[in-house]
Amino acid sequence: EVQLVESGGGLVQPGGSLRLSCAASGLTFSSVWFHWVRQAPGKGLAWVSRITGDGSSTSYADSVKGRFTISTDNAKNTVYLQMNSLRAEDTAVYYCATDGSYSYTFWGQGTLVTVSS
Amino acid sequence: QTVVTQEPSFSVSPGGTVTLTCGLSSGSVSTNNFPSWYQQTPGQAPRTLIYSTNTRFSGVPDRFSGSILGNRAALTITGAQADDESDYYCVLYMGSGIWVFGGGTKLAVL
């Protein structure tokens, strides 16, 4: 059974940094692409970033490019999202999801990031 | 900037059939966009329904189906049930490693 467990969310001040983690199990980690998707309070879903399982290729939404960095640790079967220069509009629940045929398949339960002074 | 469009809201009677659509502000949706569909209830993570246009995800009942209708992707629910009342999101692959979600459709079953 595929499981994705996010962690690392919390309250951070504007301009601050946070690193989210997504621990994956039940899959061949290096063969899977991973995404981060976020949802601001009361709003819809928004794609944030994607990485191949071997970490060789990444992509980002324009709204986070240059501020967020996605990475993997194959030894720990974990995907990370390093978030720098955080803004109020980055406040959201962040979900980790696996990719299947350029779509999302399995989802984690999400972790809440709140950017506020 | 490309915008993915969905109906903001829709209603269906119990047992009825409803088709939700997903379009582009400019151009047509095709299988090359790998349209996919997700169901979400308040406070819960999204649930994958359909991927790669028309492939049902594991465990999804066959009353959910995906297709291309004209220039839009479509999600059809036949025999609607009360617990189908949810938000439904589509997402399109735009190429170059970029995905864009639609704004979501709030479906009422009444």
Side-chain angles (χ1 to χ4, degrees):
Chain A
E1 179 192 5
V2 174
Q3 283 197 325
L4 303 173
V5 179
E6 301 98 332
S7 60
L11 175 64
V12 61
Q13 291 188 339
S17 298
L18 211 56
R19 190 179 79 160
L20 306 183
S21 301
C22 170
S25 60
L27 48 74
T28 304
F29 188 86
S30 59
S31 301
V32 176
W33 293 9
F34 294 90
H35 297 263
W36 287 98
V37 174
R38 68 184 181 183
Q39 187 169 35
K43 302 297 185 182
L45 299 169
W47 174 76
V48 173
S49 183
R50 176 231 69 185
I51 190 167
T52 53
D54 62 2
S56 63
S57 177
T58 62
S59 55
Y60 300 90
D62 285 345
S63 59
V64 306
K65 198 175 296 182
R67 299 188 299 124
F68 290 11
T69 302
I70 191 171
S71 62
T72 58
D73 183 334
N74 283 33
K76 296 182 177 180
N77 282 8
T78 299
V79 185
Y80 301 101
L81 186 68
Q82 177 67 43
M83 304 186 296
N84 299 331
S85 302
L86 283 162
R87 307 166 180 167
E89 55 265 35
D90 296 318
T91 293
V93 174
Y94 284 73
Y95 295 102
C96 174
T98 54
D99 183 290
S101 298
Y102 296 89
S103 309
Y104 315 119
T105 48
F106 297 96
W107 296 77
Q109 84 289 350
T111 188
L112 175 62
V113 172
T114 303
V115 184
S116 175
S117 54
Chain B
Q1 183 173 344
T2 301
V3 175
V4 176
T5 60
Q6 294 184 247
E7 299 86 0
S9 62
F10 229 116
S11 64
V12 62
S13 300
T17 296
V18 62
T19 297
L20 311 182
T21 69
C22 176
L24 286 169
S25 56
S26 174
S28 299
V29 176
S30 76
T31 55
N32 291 330
N33 294 119
F34 299 91
S36 54
W37 293 90
Y38 307 87
Q39 178 190 51
Q40 188 182 37
T41 52
Q44 299 297 312
R47 171 198 180 197
T48 301
L49 296 176
I50 301 289
Y51 65 95
S52 197
T53 305
N54 55 14
T55 304
R56 264 184 301 276
F57 190 58
S58 175
V60 175
D62 60 7
R63 55 197 187 79
F64 291 91
S65 62
S67 64
I68 299 289
L69 287 181
N71 62 354
R72 303 174 73 88
L75 173 71
T76 299
I77 307 171
T78 57
Q81 300 177 0
D83 61 4
D84 294 335
E85 186 161 293
S86 302
D87 295 326
Y88 291 85
Y89 294 92
C90 71
V91 64
L92 301 178
Y93 178 61
M94 306 309 295
S96 302
I98 303 297
W99 284 260
V100 179
F101 275 92
T105 297
K106 184 176 292 292
L107 179 67
V109 180
L110 42 79

